[in-house]
Amino acid sequence: MNILILGSGGREHALAWAVKQNPKCDRLIVAPGNAGIAAHAECADLDILDGDAVVQFAVDNAVDFIIVGPEAPLAAGVADRCRAAGLSVFGPSAEAARLEASKAFTKEICDAAKAPTAAYARFTDATAARAYVTAQGAPIVVKADGLAAGKGVIVAMTLPEALAAVDDMFSGEFGDAGAEVVIEDFMEGEEASFFVLVDGETVLPIGTAQDHKRVGDGDTGPNTGGMGAYSPAPVLTPDIAERALAQIIRPTMAAMARRGTPYQGVLYAGLMIKDGAPRLVEYNARFGDPECQVLMLRLGAQALDLMQACAEGRLDEMRVSWADDHAITVVMAAAGYPGAYEKGTKIRGLDDLPENSRNITFHAGTREKDGMILANGGRVLNVTARGATLQEARDRAYAMVDSIDWPEGFCRRDIGWRAL
Ligand code: GLY
């Protein structure tokens, strides 16, 4: 089969690597891709937010299956456009992807599903929001309603921080995404990510992970898109996972189906766990990045069969087969990230790294020039390894990190500390 993956990050490199392991895959195209993806797939220059362009490209290239990586094309309706053209696509409709694209919508659905989550209020003007925050006090969580590239959620530990977040959102810092603001109670506990596939009806768990959002060791410094992740997440025990399915995920999916917008694709539930009880922090309508990297290393070739069954409404026939092992990914980022950083710095030593089913360096922001790999973004490499234990996987990943020669890059040295 001919497969098209949309996206250009470490998540899409991991998806491409897993898909390529499956003998069903004849031709693999990733649009737009990156320098690492180019080792497994053809990279194509395509505007992935333009549904008509994606459909035309898929028809011209006899694509049998499309996998949508990031949230922006989902929110733009690219999966709808592909389905309407009779193409097989993995990814929710724009209406279903509102579970990520609108925080207020998610809260409405959680109300309808009676899913445990934080109490909240919604605002469309700063004065009322400021008064509410002042009355509630800190800590408190301020969320821009719409997509804000991972920057629209502020966990404010003090009242001045919370008021500043409200002002920033209503001052247009997040564009239309901040036109409405959701303010939630702060939830205590340990956060973990639960990934399930949903084909509109059947919900199939495919794994758990935890990421490290802060830039610095010891979970310090500003938030990032994620500086590393590991799977499984020990805090999400089988019992808690079952409770999350029964109390949160299945009722939400049933509520989506009832309103005529059934969900099809991967659903990423961010959960807060305290005293054995899970509560919903947020939904995402895509794989996490870098959580996808650890999930794909553990799932391997079956990932394609699972995504296809999901797109075709056959998840009830599927079982996930897990090796009883652990995977970890360490993000290497450009100095300065998540603030300003330099592009174009040279990365050496990648050719000497092992690449097999236990060790692989996924590329996020890279490009190739004259045979040299150059940094081309904030998060640049995802050094990923598997092991019989998390410690073994971690030792292997950091040994790879240490053999990469990139003076302008950095990483956290404590990925996985919570589980170890
Ligand atoms: N790593 C967090 C996310 O993908 O949203």
Side-chain angles (χ1 to χ4, degrees):
M1 359 164 16
N2 297 336
I3 297 165
L4 170 65
I5 298 176
L6 303 183
S8 63
R11 168 182 48 212
E12 288 74 29
H13 190 177
L15 288 166
W17 174 83
V19 162
K20 198 68 196 210
Q21 308 303 305
N22 194 308
K24 272 200 277 189
C25 176
D26 297 313
R27 184 174 174 211
L28 178 60
I29 311 169
V30 183
N34 63 37
I37 292 172
H40 309 285
E42 297 165 47
C43 292
D45 190 15
L46 174 64
D47 178 359
I48 64 168
L49 297 179
D50 180 343
D52 290 336
V54 171
V55 167
Q56 193 58 53
F57 181 90
V59 170
D60 291 347
N61 288 277
V63 167
D64 302 295
F65 188 48
I66 302 168
I67 299 167
V68 186
E71 61 277 21
L74 295 169
V78 169
D80 306 74
R81 188 67 198 83
C82 292
R83 266 191 286 274
L87 297 163
S88 180
V89 59
F90 176 78
S93 65
E95 196 51 37
R98 287 180 73 205
L99 282 178
E100 172 163 8
S102 169
K103 306 287 180 269
F105 174 76
T106 299
K107 286 299 195 184
E108 281 171 21
I109 291 289
C110 283
D111 288 345
K114 299 189 174 35
T117 181
Y120 72 103
R122 297 166 60 167
F123 299 93
T124 51
D125 81 276
T127 310
R130 285 179 65 94
Y132 180 80
V133 163
T134 305
Q136 294 292 113
I140 196 160
V141 181
V142 182
K143 295 182 172 178
D145 176 59
L147 292 179
K151 298 189 182 111
V153 176
I154 307 295
V155 180
M157 300 311 289
T158 66
L159 186 57
E161 265 181 85
L163 292 172
V166 167
D167 290 344
D168 286 348
M169 286 182 192
F170 284 114
S171 72
E173 183 166 322
F174 300 102
D176 288 349
E180 179 165 1
V181 168
V182 174
I183 301 180
E184 289 186 358
D185 287 359
F186 174 80
M187 287 191 281
E188 282 181 14
E190 189 170 339
E191 203 172 336
S193 308
F194 193 15
F195 295 87
V196 300
L197 297 182
V198 188
D199 65 6
E201 212 167 306
T202 302
V203 175
L204 182 68
I206 55 163
T208 64
Q210 273 180 299
D211 77 343
H212 294 263
K213 292 195 169 61
R214 303 274 179 170
V215 74
D217 282 11
D219 292 333
T220 54
N223 266 328
T224 69
M227 293 301 292
Y230 51 94
S231 171
V235 67
L236 245 168
T237 60
D239 176 52
I240 296 174
E242 201 38 63
R243 285 176 73 162
L245 285 169
Q247 296 170 3
I248 301 174
I249 296 173
R250 288 203 184 97
T252 311
M253 294 298 96
M256 292 296 284
R258 274 199 305 278
R259 68 187 288 284
T261 55
Y263 192 94
Q264 183 263 81
V266 61
L267 183 74
Y268 156 6
L271 302 173
M272 190 64 80
I273 296 151
K274 183 155 186 275
D275 301 331
R279 290 203 286 166
L280 184 79
V281 177
E282 64 179 11
Y283 283 123
N284 292 301
R286 51 168 173 90
F287 283 107
D289 188 347
E291 293 91 330
C292 185
Q293 288 78 315
V294 284
L295 290 177
M296 289 303 130
L297 196 64
R298 294 185 67 216
L299 283 171
Q302 65 182 316
L304 175 60
D305 303 321
L306 290 166
M307 289 188 280
Q308 243 194 311
C310 179
E312 292 168 6
R314 294 186 287 104
L315 276 182
D316 58 338
E317 298 168 8
M318 303 302 285
R319 295 282 167 276
V320 182
S321 103
W322 282 112
D324 182 18
D325 65 359
H326 300 253
I328 193 165
T329 188
V330 177
V331 171
M332 295 189 77
Y337 174 80
Y341 54 81
E342 197 184 342
K343 284 188 183 178
T345 55
K346 292 181 176 152
I347 306 170
R348 297 185 174 86
L350 295 173
D351 288 343
D352 303 330
L353 294 177
E355 185 178 319
N356 51 50
S357 62
R358 303 189 78 74
N359 310 272
I360 180 160
T361 300
F362 295 118
H363 290 217
T366 63
R367 71 184 173 90
E368 193 258 353
K369 188 169 177 238
D370 303 330
M372 175 67 70
I373 299 296
L374 305 179
N376 196 38
R379 292 190 296 169
V380 173
L381 297 171
N382 308 142
V383 184
T384 311
R386 269 168 67 194
T389 62
L390 184 60
Q391 186 66 54
E392 187 186 314
R394 177 162 122 146
D395 291 346
R396 204 172 265 153
Y398 277 114
M400 290 160 72
V401 165
D402 291 339
S403 67
I404 294 173
D405 176 11
W406 181 29
E408 296 84 2
F410 76 98
C411 68
R412 279 183 59 163
R413 300 296 312 190
D414 64 346
I415 300 304
W417 68 266
R418 216 182 266 282
L420 292 167

